[in-house]
Amino acid sequence: MPAGRIAYLNARLLDPATGLDETGAVLVEDGKIADFGAHLFKGGAPSVRQVVDCAGLCLAPGLVDMRVQLREPGQEHLEDINSAGDAALAGGITQLACLPNTQPVIDDVPVVEFIARRAREAKKVKINCYAALTKGMQGKELTEIGLLSDAGVVAFTDGEQATVNAKTLSRALKYAEAFDAMIVQHPEEPSLAENGLMNKGELASRLGLSGIPREAEIIMVERDLRLAAMSGTRFHFAHVTTSDALDAIRKAKAQGLPVTCDTAPHYFALNETAIGNYRTFAKVSPPLRDEADRQAVVAAIADGTIDAIASDHAPHDQDSKRLPFPQASFGIIGLETLLPLTLELYHNRHMTLLEALAAVTCKPADLLRLKAGRLVRGAAADLVIFDPDRPWQIDESQLKSRSKNTPFDKRPVQGKALMTIVDGRTLYRAPDAPL
Amino acid sequence: MEGLSASEISLLLDTADGYVEQNRQADKKRDLLHGRTLINLFFENSTRTRTSFELAGKRLGLDVINMSVATSAIKKGETLIDTAMTLNAMHPDVLVVRHADSGAVELLSQKVNCSVINAGDGSHEHPTQALLDALTIRRRIGRLNNLTVAICGDIAHSRVARSNIHLLHTMGARVRVVAPPTLLPPAIERFGVEVFTDMRKGLADCDVVMMLRLQLERMQGSFVPSVREYYRYFGLDAEKLAYAKPDAFVMHPGPMNRGVEIASELADDIDRSVIRQQVEMGVAVRMACIDILTRNQARPDSFVDPTETAGGN
């Protein structure tokens, strides 16, 4: 249903792609951005169906979260497309990409079509799919990269598992050239990480938990950079956490290799001490690292080595988290905390507001080649109105995600999405929004 | 053990000292804690520790119940927390818990409102073992401070080593660890210990040599190449012990692998080995822990922190 003409007035317009930061208005017509800028409606009141006075709040492209575990199909008791949609919208996210580790695995066109249909029915956040790089994410046989690309998948990855076999991966990289597909790696050398529960080091030794060495990530990144250099395929490292892996990626980029990477908020907002007394909500894969690596991640976001920030949303219920640390599942939810945690980088003066926003809007959209994440005339009106300074406290009981496994419960943060608009329709309005 | 102060440790050891005498009399039983209930909850098999706690409880007059994993609902898929809640509803006064996962006893202690004693959790801590070791040393030498203690063997996977390091440091002893590098935990030097991979150097001028058990599955190829090689370089025999002080003595938490980490003759040498005394002290130390944790509850109006645990596991 077309939403007619809506005018958003008195907004601080932010477009990280162009560096636009000015007070102005946006006109939305039939779900698309018809016009925007300081000049708009200067002559007088607009003749529209609805006027929204933004009262100086920020208006930016909706967030694009490039790494989300959806759990539908297969594990709807943890999360489904509706609950993830509500959570994403409350977090200012208008578009996301879901990992293939559903049940069944997204390794075949019908599963892609199923998720697309469910997303259309839910009418919430826009959902894109990754497809598995290998059938069943078994690391052996390639999936149908061509057919799946035509079906609209954004990239290929074995999800939370590394594609370990060097021959399989190098063939995939070669073959993917024909379809200009992107391959995404979970960079962790599995034999070094075997049985590991947290970052290897003093804290793990004190807690008596077996460690995952930093080298598990570094070795995989360094190896994969060699493999990536053998083909022209775009190669992306998911959730990079160590200074040495980031150095290797920085160098490869300088040499012109088509490699990119992302990280997740917990890798710059927390370090391994968050585990404290065996807190399973801080058990993630890759593990939280030490303070030096955390700072290296912040620096790499600031200097652009890290292209994007993704939530790495991984819903788990209490039954898989309220267990002795070694038995608990890896992963935390992140859709609703992506924006405020990313804004910490701005509030802590590591980067400008526009730079921080770019890492969750235009940059991930460009990586996945989505027409999203920027203010463009004629583009879909996927927008977020937010207050970058509003202080609030994360409260897991208020989160819309079906699973509540966040280590950020009770954390005071600054910056909140107040209204989220998809195709011109207001799908989320914060209860206390002054709009 | 980590976090316990020197005065708290001394109190436990002093109390245990008294129980050593009681245990040597013909009538070993007192009704001090009559009517209280102790549940031994062992998720990992153990005969000696469980028996030691059972005797300790009975000699103080408690009713003791043993639950082992083979007969419990855990086998039927019940979670640790559900088990804890179920037992809690039966109003025990003390839960003695052993679990194969580090941190599991801490997790359980958060969910019950009785005292919880950590009888060993994964590779994390085994506080009563450290206390009984300390009592054994103190009774033999008369002090714990200004002693040099070498802990030898599989430090990486040993909860006994960690608890002993914490306790001995708190009490002013110098601690060395001696092991092949594959059996040393990462950043072990950050525990404030001296690290040796040459056993002769590690034992030089030591007052006490603590041997650790090498688990069978770690002997063949994964952590050390062979039993033969391990015994040659890291097994304790009379020749290596000669590097320690002339009156140095040998400890082992048991059960021993004779001919793997310790020479049989040495283990049986009553002048040099205190392994049997350790077992005796075990009962006394566990009586002290049970006593101190439950004595406060004698006054019905007193509040006992439900998370309070022996050794602050």
PDB file of all heavy atoms in Angstrom, chain B residues 80-94:
ATOM      1  N   LEU B  80      22.145 -28.846  35.320  1.00  0.00           N
ATOM      2  CA  LEU B  80      22.788 -28.620  36.609  1.00  0.00           C
ATOM      3  C   LEU B  80      21.914 -27.750  37.510  1.00  0.00           C
ATOM      4  O   LEU B  80      21.754 -28.026  38.704  1.00  0.00           O
ATOM      5  CB  LEU B  80      24.139 -27.949  36.377  1.00  0.00           C
ATOM      6  CG  LEU B  80      24.937 -27.606  37.620  1.00  0.00           C
ATOM      7  CD1 LEU B  80      25.405 -28.859  38.320  1.00  0.00           C
ATOM      8  CD2 LEU B  80      26.128 -26.723  37.266  1.00  0.00           C
ATOM      9  N   ILE B  81      21.322 -26.711  36.920  1.00  0.00           N
ATOM     10  CA  ILE B  81      20.538 -25.788  37.734  1.00  0.00           C
ATOM     11  C   ILE B  81      19.274 -26.465  38.253  1.00  0.00           C
ATOM     12  O   ILE B  81      18.889 -26.277  39.410  1.00  0.00           O
ATOM     13  CB  ILE B  81      20.234 -24.511  36.929  1.00  0.00           C
ATOM     14  CG1 ILE B  81      21.534 -23.722  36.788  1.00  0.00           C
ATOM     15  CG2 ILE B  81      19.146 -23.683  37.591  1.00  0.00           C
ATOM     16  CD1 ILE B  81      21.445 -22.497  35.952  1.00  0.00           C
ATOM     17  N   ASP B  82      18.651 -27.291  37.422  1.00  0.00           N
ATOM     18  CA  ASP B  82      17.464 -28.016  37.886  1.00  0.00           C
ATOM     19  C   ASP B  82      17.817 -28.959  39.030  1.00  0.00           C
ATOM     20  O   ASP B  82      17.070 -29.082  40.006  1.00  0.00           O
ATOM     21  CB  ASP B  82      16.826 -28.801  36.732  1.00  0.00           C
ATOM     22  CG  ASP B  82      16.091 -27.878  35.768  1.00  0.00           C
ATOM     23  OD1 ASP B  82      15.748 -26.759  36.189  1.00  0.00           O
ATOM     24  OD2 ASP B  82      15.878 -28.273  34.615  1.00  0.00           O
ATOM     25  N   THR B  83      18.950 -29.633  38.894  1.00  0.00           N
ATOM     26  CA  THR B  83      19.394 -30.513  39.967  1.00  0.00           C
ATOM     27  C   THR B  83      19.605 -29.715  41.248  1.00  0.00           C
ATOM     28  O   THR B  83      19.188 -30.128  42.338  1.00  0.00           O
ATOM     29  CB  THR B  83      20.715 -31.217  39.577  1.00  0.00           C
ATOM     30  OG1 THR B  83      20.513 -31.873  38.336  1.00  0.00           O
ATOM     31  CG2 THR B  83      21.137 -32.227  40.627  1.00  0.00           C
ATOM     32  N   ALA B  84      20.228 -28.568  41.103  1.00  0.00           N
ATOM     33  CA  ALA B  84      20.489 -27.713  42.263  1.00  0.00           C
ATOM     34  C   ALA B  84      19.189 -27.289  42.931  1.00  0.00           C
ATOM     35  O   ALA B  84      19.054 -27.357  44.157  1.00  0.00           O
ATOM     36  CB  ALA B  84      21.285 -26.488  41.818  1.00  0.00           C
ATOM     37  N   MET B  85      18.223 -26.882  42.134  1.00  0.00           N
ATOM     38  CA  MET B  85      16.943 -26.430  42.690  1.00  0.00           C
ATOM     39  C   MET B  85      16.226 -27.582  43.394  1.00  0.00           C
ATOM     40  O   MET B  85      15.620 -27.398  44.449  1.00  0.00           O
ATOM     41  CB  MET B  85      16.035 -25.900  41.570  1.00  0.00           C
ATOM     42  CG  MET B  85      16.648 -24.784  40.762  1.00  0.00           C
ATOM     43  SD  MET B  85      16.991 -23.327  41.738  1.00  0.00           S
ATOM     44  CE  MET B  85      15.704 -22.266  41.132  1.00  0.00           C
ATOM     45  N   THR B  86      16.294 -28.759  42.790  1.00  0.00           N
ATOM     46  CA  THR B  86      15.637 -29.921  43.377  1.00  0.00           C
ATOM     47  C   THR B  86      16.233 -30.241  44.738  1.00  0.00           C
ATOM     48  O   THR B  86      15.512 -30.406  45.729  1.00  0.00           O
ATOM     49  CB  THR B  86      15.811 -31.138  42.436  1.00  0.00           C
ATOM     50  OG1 THR B  86      15.311 -30.772  41.156  1.00  0.00           O
ATOM     51  CG2 THR B  86      15.059 -32.335  42.960  1.00  0.00           C
ATOM     52  N   LEU B  87      17.563 -30.291  44.787  1.00  0.00           N
ATOM     53  CA  LEU B  87      18.217 -30.610  46.054  1.00  0.00           C
ATOM     54  C   LEU B  87      17.971 -29.513  47.075  1.00  0.00           C
ATOM     55  O   LEU B  87      17.755 -29.775  48.261  1.00  0.00           O
ATOM     56  CB  LEU B  87      19.716 -30.800  45.833  1.00  0.00           C
ATOM     57  CG  LEU B  87      20.089 -32.034  45.012  1.00  0.00           C
ATOM     58  CD1 LEU B  87      21.590 -32.097  44.818  1.00  0.00           C
ATOM     59  CD2 LEU B  87      19.591 -33.306  45.708  1.00  0.00           C
ATOM     60  N   ASN B  88      17.958 -28.286  46.598  1.00  0.00           N
ATOM     61  CA  ASN B  88      17.748 -27.155  47.492  1.00  0.00           C
ATOM     62  C   ASN B  88      16.400 -27.256  48.205  1.00  0.00           C
ATOM     63  O   ASN B  88      16.274 -26.918  49.380  1.00  0.00           O
ATOM     64  CB  ASN B  88      17.833 -25.860  46.682  1.00  0.00           C
ATOM     65  CG  ASN B  88      17.943 -24.651  47.564  1.00  0.00           C
ATOM     66  OD1 ASN B  88      18.702 -24.659  48.524  1.00  0.00           O
ATOM     67  ND2 ASN B  88      17.172 -23.621  47.258  1.00  0.00           N
ATOM     68  N   ALA B  89      15.424 -27.767  47.478  1.00  0.00           N
ATOM     69  CA  ALA B  89      14.085 -27.890  48.049  1.00  0.00           C
ATOM     70  C   ALA B  89      14.050 -28.905  49.193  1.00  0.00           C
ATOM     71  O   ALA B  89      13.107 -28.930  49.985  1.00  0.00           O
ATOM     72  CB  ALA B  89      13.100 -28.299  46.954  1.00  0.00           C
ATOM     73  N   MET B  90      15.075 -29.738  49.282  1.00  0.00           N
ATOM     74  CA  MET B  90      15.121 -30.724  50.363  1.00  0.00           C
ATOM     75  C   MET B  90      15.833 -30.180  51.599  1.00  0.00           C
ATOM     76  O   MET B  90      16.070 -30.926  52.550  1.00  0.00           O
ATOM     77  CB  MET B  90      15.841 -31.993  49.875  1.00  0.00           C
ATOM     78  CG  MET B  90      15.147 -32.630  48.676  1.00  0.00           C
ATOM     79  SD  MET B  90      16.082 -34.054  48.090  1.00  0.00           S
ATOM     80  CE  MET B  90      15.248 -34.403  46.548  1.00  0.00           C
ATOM     81  N   HIS B  91      16.185 -28.900  51.563  1.00  0.00           N
ATOM     82  CA  HIS B  91      16.803 -28.213  52.705  1.00  0.00           C
ATOM     83  C   HIS B  91      18.061 -28.884  53.247  1.00  0.00           C
ATOM     84  O   HIS B  91      18.140 -29.181  54.439  1.00  0.00           O
ATOM     85  CB  HIS B  91      15.795 -28.049  53.854  1.00  0.00           C
ATOM     86  CG  HIS B  91      14.592 -27.279  53.455  1.00  0.00           C
ATOM     87  ND1 HIS B  91      14.651 -25.926  53.148  1.00  0.00           N
ATOM     88  CD2 HIS B  91      13.299 -27.654  53.290  1.00  0.00           C
ATOM     89  CE1 HIS B  91      13.446 -25.518  52.818  1.00  0.00           C
ATOM     90  NE2 HIS B  91      12.600 -26.532  52.880  1.00  0.00           N
ATOM     91  N   PRO B  92      19.031 -29.137  52.409  1.00  0.00           N
ATOM     92  CA  PRO B  92      20.299 -29.598  52.964  1.00  0.00           C
ATOM     93  C   PRO B  92      21.014 -28.412  53.614  1.00  0.00           C
ATOM     94  O   PRO B  92      20.683 -27.260  53.334  1.00  0.00           O
ATOM     95  CB  PRO B  92      21.074 -30.084  51.737  1.00  0.00           C
ATOM     96  CG  PRO B  92      20.553 -29.245  50.616  1.00  0.00           C
ATOM     97  CD  PRO B  92      19.108 -28.922  50.954  1.00  0.00           C
ATOM     98  N   ASP B  93      21.947 -28.695  54.513  1.00  0.00           N
ATOM     99  CA  ASP B  93      22.724 -27.612  55.117  1.00  0.00           C
ATOM    100  C   ASP B  93      24.029 -27.389  54.366  1.00  0.00           C
ATOM    101  O   ASP B  93      24.536 -26.277  54.311  1.00  0.00           O
ATOM    102  CB  ASP B  93      23.014 -27.937  56.582  1.00  0.00           C
ATOM    103  CG  ASP B  93      21.720 -28.093  57.356  1.00  0.00           C
ATOM    104  OD1 ASP B  93      21.113 -27.060  57.660  1.00  0.00           O
ATOM    105  OD2 ASP B  93      21.287 -29.240  57.594  1.00  0.00           O
ATOM    106  N   VAL B  94      24.565 -28.474  53.830  1.00  0.00           N
ATOM    107  CA  VAL B  94      25.809 -28.369  53.073  1.00  0.00           C
ATOM    108  C   VAL B  94      25.689 -29.218  51.815  1.00  0.00           C
ATOM    109  O   VAL B  94      25.217 -30.349  51.860  1.00  0.00           O
ATOM    110  CB  VAL B  94      27.024 -28.905  53.874  1.00  0.00           C
ATOM    111  CG1 VAL B  94      28.324 -28.606  53.125  1.00  0.00           C
ATOM    112  CG2 VAL B  94      27.066 -28.322  55.263  1.00  0.00           C
TER     113      VAL B  94
END
